[in-house]
Amino acid sequence: MHSLESNHVIVGMSGGVDSSVAALLLKQQGHRVSGLFMKNWDEDDGEPYCTVRQDLEDASRVCDRLGIDLHTANFAAEYWDDVFSAFLREHEAGRTPNPDVLCNREIKFKQFARYAEALGADRIATGHYARLAKRGGRLRLLKGIDAGKDQSYFLQALNINQLAAAVFPLGGLEKTEVRRIAHEQGFHNHGKKDSTGICFIGERRFRDFLQRYLPRNPGAMVDEAGVTVGQHIGLPYYTRGQRQGLAVGGLAGRREAPWYVLDKDLAANRLIVTQNPAALCNDGLTAGSLNWLGEPPSLPLRCTAKVRYRQPDQAAWVNAEQPGKVTVRFDAPQRAITPGQYVCFYDGDICLGGGVIEAFSNFKAKASVHD
């Protein structure tokens, strides 16, 4: 895209309050602003959880109020090929993927960026709560000011070129301030609920949705000793740390306490569960598919890390494992480290990058074996 002096910015308009205020702020700053509404999932809009029609109407109303053009694009084929197919493969492999991270890299900051450039944009903008700044002469991705809404975790898989073409107008604002601005501007969607669920697919009963694409493969649900305590419907339908939907209870000789998913035995098609929450805590992990935002740091690296969105930063050591992989050792055990999810690394408010969790481990347990 073009130089910073150029000022045509196309905003990814979702119909929500964040992208609406992002467009407003850019216009107030003197940029020539357009909107782009992306449809990335082809489905009957009449289904109760499909909000595409309403979201497009909301985006149109905001753009009309701002006096800016709204373009529309359908990236459903790209979403299926580059995000959703990988999402299904990961589930089939027994892992729990995070499609939002991949969606940002492949759709919002690749397909959207290309489309916007073809429309003459110099920059693209989104409503992400994150910041960009030069630190040490290099472009850095920084956390958003609002600690409760910071979304740098979801942007960790981008590359520097993708970030260099982006603008995040909300990074320096609290969410409450964004809603206040939207209310003062008379945006009809100022109180609209934040979207949740799978990126671009929306809120729906996850198990029912997944069954459309992955067959059930029932098997034994066993405790840590290998004793059968129930039946599972298929390993892809469960994730580590899960408590709901296990249908285990009233077992003779067992205490009345919740059961949690502890692990998956893919070879034997067994779901391992536990009534001991402490068993879900591990102080280490191995990660691959690494993406560093800038020059790879020297290892070992002392930093903070998080294994899920909105988790407080956790002090850790990152060490080289083998080519393309690292081990992460946390100062304190972390609950339900889950293969397929992302670990994100930070130096203060700087997002250094991250990787896909491949396995969890216990360094202290290993140390005690050798003592």
Side-chain angles (χ1 to χ4, degrees):
M1 292 191 180
H2 307 147
S3 67
L4 279 169
E5 287 73 20
S6 301
N7 68 349
H8 183 197
V9 183
I10 295 185
V11 183
M13 300 294 291
S14 67
V17 65
D18 292 333
S19 57
S20 300
V21 172
L24 167 71
L25 295 177
L26 289 166
K27 187 174 182 185
Q28 289 178 338
Q29 292 165 12
H31 296 284
R32 181 162 67 92
V33 179
S34 303
L36 178 68
F37 181 86
M38 294 171 273
K39 182 178 180 183
N40 300 311
W41 188 254
D42 279 332
E43 198 166 75
D44 180 5
D45 290 350
E47 297 200 42
Y49 37 68
C50 190
T51 63
V52 170
R53 191 171 295 168
Q54 183 61 54
D55 291 341
L56 177 56
E57 180 182 331
D58 290 340
S60 297
R61 289 180 63 181
V62 170
C63 288
D64 285 345
R65 187 171 185 84
L66 292 174
I68 64 175
D69 293 332
L70 178 64
H71 305 275
T72 61
N74 189 325
F75 300 131
E78 293 84 355
Y79 182 86
W80 181 278
D81 291 342
D82 300 331
V83 179
F84 193 67
S85 292
F87 171 81
L88 293 179
R89 287 195 301 272
E90 285 290 278
H91 275 291
E92 288 178 310
R95 294 183 287 269
T96 303
N98 189 321
D100 290 354
V101 175
L102 198 56
C103 181
N104 279 324
R105 188 184 76 193
E106 298 297 328
I107 304 299
K108 294 180 182 175
F109 293 87
K110 182 182 288 186
Q111 301 300 337
F112 167 33
R114 289 174 179 169
Y115 197 91
E117 184 171 20
L119 291 173
D122 304 299
R123 289 287 185 276
I124 61 168
T126 67
H128 284 97
Y129 287 79
R131 295 174 293 151
L132 294 170
K134 285 287 185 71
R135 294 279 179 89
R138 293 191 298 176
L139 183 66
R140 295 289 197 175
L141 174 65
L142 309 181
K143 295 178 181 177
I145 293 295
D146 188 335
K149 286 294 295 180
D150 165 50
Q151 292 173 307
S152 58
Y153 175 90
F154 294 120
L155 303 173
Q156 61 170 288
L158 302 183
N159 61 50
I160 289 298
N161 289 335
Q162 288 175 309
L163 289 172
V167 184
F168 302 122
L170 306 187
L173 298 176
E174 302 277 343
K175 178 73 178 200
T176 52
E177 176 71 0
V178 170
R179 288 203 183 276
R180 184 192 66 78
I181 293 171
H183 186 265
E184 287 184 351
Q185 291 293 322
F187 289 169
H188 73 286
N189 60 352
H190 66 86
K192 187 175 181 178
K193 179 183 175 184
D194 289 345
S195 61
T196 58
I198 304 170
C199 180
F200 284 121
I201 297 175
E203 303 178 44
R204 60 187 75 209
R205 295 182 62 181
F206 181 72
R207 181 171 291 184
D208 292 344
F209 174 71
L210 202 58
Q211 284 183 89
R212 299 185 187 183
Y213 306 97
L214 297 179
R216 288 192 179 208
N217 184 21
M221 191 180 297
V222 303
D223 65 11
E224 294 154 286
V227 177
T228 299
V229 297
Q231 293 287 312
H232 68 77
I233 65 170
L235 297 181
Y237 297 93
Y238 302 87
T239 187
R240 192 162 191 253
Q242 178 179 333
R243 173 179 172 181
Q244 302 296 325
L246 300 186
V248 181
L251 297 175
R254 302 282 183 165
R255 60 193 178 94
E256 286 297 323
W259 290 86
Y260 302 88
V261 174
L262 178 61
D263 205 353
K264 299 178 182 182
D265 181 349
L266 297 176
N269 191 31
R270 301 191 308 171
L271 187 71
I272 304 170
V273 296
T274 182
Q275 287 184 297
N276 176 20
L280 287 165
C281 295
N282 305 93
D283 65 0
L285 63 84
T286 302
S289 301
L290 300 173
N291 180 66
W292 299 108
L293 295 172
E295 289 294 321
S298 298
L299 300 178
L301 171 69
R302 182 64 172 171
C303 65
T304 61
K306 59 177 67 178
V307 296
R308 61 182 57 88
Y309 174 50
R310 286 184 177 164
Q311 179 190 25
D313 288 10
Q314 303 293 311
W317 281 100
V318 180
N319 285 278
E321 171 70 5
Q322 50 184 287
K325 300 182 189 296
V326 295
T327 56
V328 183
R329 180 173 182 172
F330 293 97
D331 289 9
Q334 306 299 307
R335 186 183 185 280
I337 296 173
T338 305
Q341 293 285 292
Y342 286 79
V343 58
C344 193
F345 305 118
Y346 293 89
D347 177 8
D349 64 349
I350 300 174
C351 178
L352 301 174
V356 179
I357 299 170
E358 296 185 349
F360 50 87
S361 59
N362 282 314
F363 283 98
K364 289 180 181 177
K366 291 178 183 177
S368 64
V369 168
H370 296 291
D371 288 344

